[in-house]
Amino acid sequence: MTTNTTKTPAQQPTPLLPLPTTAARIGVLTGSALALAGTFLAWTWTEEFPGNLTVTGYPGGLQVITLAGAALTLLFTLSGMGVRGLNWLTPAGKTGPTALTALGVLGTTTYALAAISVQLGGLINLEPGAWISEIGALIAVIAALGLPGDLPPDDENTNPWTRFKHHLKAPPAPRAKELANSVEILIITAAFGIGLYVFAYGIDTYSELFVGFLITVALAAPALFRAGLIARLNRLTAKHRTITLTAALIAAACFPFTQTDESYALIGANILIFATVALGLNVVVGLAGLLDLGYVAFLGVGAYTAALVSGSPQSTIGIQLPFWAAVLVGAGASLIFGVLIGAPTLRLRGDYLAIVTLGFGEIFRITMNNLNGSAGPDVTNGSQGIPNIPDLEILGFNFGAPHDILGFTLGRSGNYYLLMLLFTAVVVMVFRRSGESRIGRAWVAVREDETAATAMGINGFRVKLIAFALGATLAGFAGTVQAHVSYSITPEQYLFANTVPPNSAFLLAAVILGGMGTISGPLVGAALLYLIPAKLQFLEDFQLILFGLALILLMRFRPEGLVANKRAQLEFHETGQLDVPEQRLPDDNVGTAKAGA
């Protein structure tokens, strides 16, 4: 009696990896290990280059960033090889994250070598540790070209560059097994803790170190997406939304306590002002689909109103209201201007509406200049603005004085950062509630097709006017804090475009690059658009060139924004659906046609 010894597919032994794939992974491991080891050796002989790269035994400056990138590449490679305990690192893509992080290590190390050579005067200033890390990073990238893509390439396109492009694409991460709620909450908390540490480290960097940090983060972030870790984290945050918002608020509140320099806390406060105004613009542009190029004027209305009623010695009104009253007056003034400007202009669409709003922004700035007592009534002191705006004092808490909290000394910038964080939380709540309401669905309907929305009974003009008024109110709301943070208000702060945000161009870019119609998108976009120019000032004339190049690349490879909703992803990318098949005659008609022929 013969016995069937055929094994089922589940019983088949796992085939060995192809030799080229194994060699490529060994190459990535070897190169990453060399790059990591080189960071413990001196990269230059003099301390004139920032970061103290002369010490052997522990890394510093740009060496720390290279070490972090090399360690992440090693972990992703080992996870792709199926090492027990590391499989969770790459639930979706096994090779794409490795290629991206390896490229980040090479970019950071190459930039470091170039910066040392240019600043110190030649390659002679490089020590062996720099060359070891550079050669190791190069080996890792070349070996990564030999790894098979997570999505198989076409039969006719099997060259290394095509395979490398497939590393940038990964299938959706498989749904993970359910974990205990306590474990999922712990994962969310750890994720926000890591995010706080990375942000605090980045804002604390300087000149050349920040550029290296930016290169690594720019490639490590998509690597986490391709690995599937971000997708799984999004599922957890969607499941525990309240816990997520609480963790985000706590992590943001801890930021000023991680900083010892007041200038960095001031950057954080200005980022929150910029982000809050961008979120208000997201109501107008992202939800209602109205292109507003003069939105920064509403920020100016709120700031000027608060400056006039907050007790400045140069105020022509000469009154001092409590802060809560000044906030209401500033937000109310912006609301009135939003209705007055929106009522006659919102019957326009597209480019015509954009031109009118751009004109309003310029009219506001020119009017503030002319209210100087010479060309017009003496209200705003003209180009001199309103200086010496006093610091706030709420319930005996003076925001201009340092305070000891939990053993940490919080200065003026930290105080205003926490106040602005509270304002940001209020604006986020308003945006979320309004977007999920009936009027929010009406905004989306008008944005997608106003004619169809009108046919369904939606009053398009009324809906757009509400969006315009709400966006103006939120901008004026943030402007009341900006007036106190900046000490003085001048018309030049509210141009359409200049090198210092916030301005209308940067606000619109923050919404589009971050992700229109989302909550976290404008916050992320505003943080990047404010932080990057502030940190690249040492590049002087090349600052805007590199900044513009980064925006072009981002729009080329992720036009839907950094944090995009599903609708935007479907609009800007292929859905992977099959093409519609060609129409064919039914069998009966075919036979009839043949008979007729």
Side-chain angles (χ1 to χ4, degrees):
M1 181 176 178
T2 57
T3 303
N4 186 8
T5 59
T6 304
K7 296 182 179 180
T8 62
Q11 296 173 333
Q12 293 286 349
T14 302
L16 296 176
L17 292 175
L19 184 60
T21 301
T22 303
R25 284 178 171 164
I26 292 176
V28 175
L29 289 174
T30 304
S32 300
L34 282 175
L36 190 149
T39 60
F40 290 90
L41 302 175
W43 280 17
T44 185
W45 59 273
T46 175
E47 296 182 5
E48 293 182 7
F49 188 83
N52 191 12
L53 307 182
T54 64
V55 181
T56 298
Y58 63 90
L62 285 167
Q63 292 173 324
V64 175
I65 301 176
T66 297
L67 184 148
L72 195 58
T73 305
L74 285 172
L75 292 175
F76 278 137
T77 305
L78 294 174
S79 176
M81 295 173 65
V83 175
R84 186 180 299 273
L86 294 177
N87 290 332
W88 60 272
L89 277 173
T90 54
K94 299 297 184 182
T95 59
T98 302
L100 286 168
T101 53
L103 189 61
V105 174
L106 179 62
T108 302
T109 308
T110 302
Y111 166 76
L113 269 63
I116 293 173
S117 301
V118 171
Q119 185 167 335
L120 300 183
L123 296 175
I124 192 65
N125 296 282
L126 297 175
E127 292 291 322
W131 293 112
I132 292 175
S133 293
E134 175 71 9
I135 294 172
L138 184 61
I139 292 173
V141 170
I142 294 175
L145 295 175
L147 293 173
D150 294 315
L151 295 177
D154 298 335
D155 294 337
E156 298 179 358
N157 298 319
T158 57
N159 59 78
W161 173 244
T162 303
R163 291 198 301 271
F164 186 80
K165 288 193 295 184
H166 279 280
H167 294 326
L168 307 183
K169 301 177 181 179
R175 186 171 294 275
K177 64 179 181 179
E178 294 291 333
L179 301 174
N181 287 336
S182 59
V183 176
E184 292 179 346
I185 293 174
L186 184 61
I187 292 174
I188 294 174
T189 305
F192 278 101
I194 295 172
L196 173 62
Y197 176 80
V198 173
F199 180 77
Y201 180 85
I203 207 172
D204 198 28
T205 56
Y206 46 86
S207 60
E208 291 84 356
L209 184 58
F210 178 76
V211 177
F213 171 81
L214 199 61
I215 294 173
T216 299
V217 171
L219 289 167
L224 297 177
F225 275 99
R226 301 309 180 192
L229 292 175
I230 301 299
R232 287 193 170 176
L233 181 61
N234 288 339
R235 291 169 187 162
L236 295 181
T237 55
K239 180 180 178 181
H240 305 279
R241 180 172 296 184
T242 303
I243 297 296
T244 300
L245 293 177
T246 304
L249 185 62
I250 293 175
C254 290
F255 167 74
F257 298 100
T258 65
Q259 303 299 309
T260 57
D261 193 333
E262 272 288 287
S263 61
Y264 297 145
L266 180 60
I267 291 177
N270 286 322
I271 286 176
L272 285 180
I273 294 173
F274 191 17
T276 302
V277 180
L279 198 59
L281 179 60
N282 197 26
V283 174
V284 181
V285 177
L287 295 181
L290 306 174
L291 184 56
D292 189 351
L293 298 183
Y295 185 76
V296 74
F298 297 120
L299 175 68
V301 170
Y304 262 99
T305 303
L308 288 171
V309 300
S310 293
S312 171
Q314 279 71 34
S315 172
T316 57
I317 297 180
I319 62 175
Q320 184 172 2
L321 298 178
F323 178 62
W324 63 268
V327 170
L328 294 179
V329 172
S334 296
L335 170 63
I336 293 173
F337 272 89
V339 173
L340 292 178
I341 299 301
T345 61
L346 288 179
R347 300 187 185 277
L348 302 174
R349 298 186 184 180
D351 299 338
Y352 300 100
L353 176 62
I355 293 173
V356 170
T357 55
L358 177 61
F360 165 66
E362 290 301 303
I363 289 173
F364 167 78
R365 182 180 60 83
I366 294 173
T367 302
M368 295 300 102
N369 262 321
N370 290 338
L371 296 179
N372 55 4
S374 176
D378 187 10
V379 178
T380 64
N381 298 323
S383 59
Q384 295 181 358
I386 304 176
N388 301 320
I389 301 174
D391 285 313
L392 295 174
E393 186 170 348
I394 302 176
L395 299 177
F397 186 90
N398 189 343
F399 282 79
H403 299 276
D404 292 331
I405 302 177
L406 300 177
F408 296 91
T409 300
L410 209 61
R412 178 182 185 274
S413 299
N415 296 332
Y416 279 107
Y417 172 89
L418 294 179
L419 177 64
M420 195 61 225
L421 181 61
L422 179 61
F423 275 57
T424 304
V426 172
V427 173
V428 167
M429 182 185 66
V430 171
F431 180 89
R432 178 185 172 188
R433 293 295 184 183
S434 60
E436 295 176 352
S437 65
R438 186 167 178 259
I439 191 67
R441 293 192 293 272
W443 287 337
V444 175
V446 170
R447 180 192 68 190
E448 296 300 322
D449 193 330
E450 185 174 352
T451 303
T454 303
M456 296 301 294
I458 297 176
N459 188 333
F461 173 76
R462 174 176 170 272
V463 167
K464 291 190 292 185
L465 185 60
I466 293 175
F468 210 75
L470 179 60
T473 304
L474 296 181
F477 190 62
T480 58
V481 180
Q482 188 212 17
H484 294 86
V485 172
S486 59
Y487 278 124
S488 63
I489 297 298
T490 59
E492 286 71 22
Q493 297 177 2
Y494 306 104
L495 294 169
F496 168 73
N498 54 26
T499 57
V500 180
N503 54 68
S504 294
F506 270 72
L507 288 170
L508 187 61
V511 173
I512 296 175
L513 296 178
M516 293 190 295
T518 63
I519 294 178
S520 56
L523 300 180
V524 174
L528 291 177
L529 290 183
Y530 190 94
L531 182 61
I532 293 176
K535 290 292 186 177
L536 294 183
Q537 292 180 358
F538 73 100
L539 294 177
E540 298 178 352
D541 296 339
F542 297 98
Q543 173 187 352
L544 290 180
I545 295 177
L546 295 178
F547 184 65
L549 180 61
L551 296 184
I552 292 173
L553 293 176
L554 183 59
M555 285 290 93
R556 169 61 182 85
F557 293 104
R558 196 169 178 83
E560 72 273 21
L562 294 174
V563 183
N565 53 29
K566 293 182 179 180
R567 181 187 297 273
Q569 291 176 340
L570 293 176
E571 289 179 356
F572 288 101
H573 296 283
E574 297 179 359
T575 61
Q577 298 177 351
L578 297 177
D579 296 334
V580 178
E582 297 180 0
Q583 294 184 355
R584 298 179 61 185
L585 293 173
D587 294 340
D588 293 339
N589 293 341
V590 173
T592 304
K594 289 182 179 179

